[in-house]
Amino acid sequence: VQLQASGGGLVQAGDSLRLSCAASGRTFSPYAMGWFRQAPGKEREFVAAITWVGPSTYYAASVKGRFIISRDDAKKSAYLQMNSLKPEDTAVYYCAADTRGGHDGSYWYRVYGYDYWGQGTQVTVSS
């Protein structure tokens, strides 16, 4: 399985961006997909996750109400619609997939909850 993230860019505060994460390779049937971000000098942090069945969604408090995660089973893709962007949203955004399952939803807030990662896409929000 390979994940390809795209859609990042340079925007102004208040603007919107939509990130995409496309999966390729063998049959892709994840339990969940997530988005994380990492700013310079900081640890990678959870942004949002979505289960493949349901689906159920999970958000970090810092983005809840502004970001929306979705997925398209047929396209083997997940998306992150980011609205009302702030300068503190500036980071490299990574998508990830959990194909192992067997654990509760709390794992999806953690880096170790995922076994596949995309290469990251830069999001820069200017003030």
Side-chain angles (χ1 to χ4, degrees), residues 5 10 12 21 38 40 46 51 56 61 63 76 78 87 95 113 121 123:
L10 172 62
Q12 293 186 331
C21 178
Q38 188 166 18
F46 170 78
T51 60
S56 297
V63 306
K76 298 191 295 183
C95 64
T121 184
V123 172

Side-chain angles (χ1 to χ4, degrees), residues 44-112:
R44 191 169 298 190
E45 66 173 3
F46 170 78
V47 176
I50 186 167
T51 60
W52 223 243
V53 176
S56 297
T57 57
Y58 306 81
Y59 295 97
S62 59
V63 306
K64 197 168 187 179
R66 299 189 297 124
F67 291 11
I68 301 171
I69 189 170
S70 61
R71 63 62 167 155
D72 186 324
D73 191 19
K75 295 183 178 180
K76 298 191 295 183
S77 295
Y79 308 95
L80 186 68
Q81 177 67 41
M82 305 187 295
N83 302 318
S84 303
L85 282 162
K86 304 176 181 180
E88 51 263 44
D89 294 319
T90 295
V92 176
Y93 282 71
Y94 298 89
C95 64
D98 171 23
T99 66
R100 298 167 299 188
H103 44 248
D104 63 42
S106 64
Y107 272 64
W108 295 322
Y109 291 86
R110 308 300 180 188
V111 169
Y112 57 70

Side-chain angles (χ1 to χ4, degrees), residues 4-18:
Q4 179 72 39
S6 61
L10 172 62
V11 297
Q12 293 186 331
D15 286 351
S16 298
L17 272 177
R18 186 182 191 228

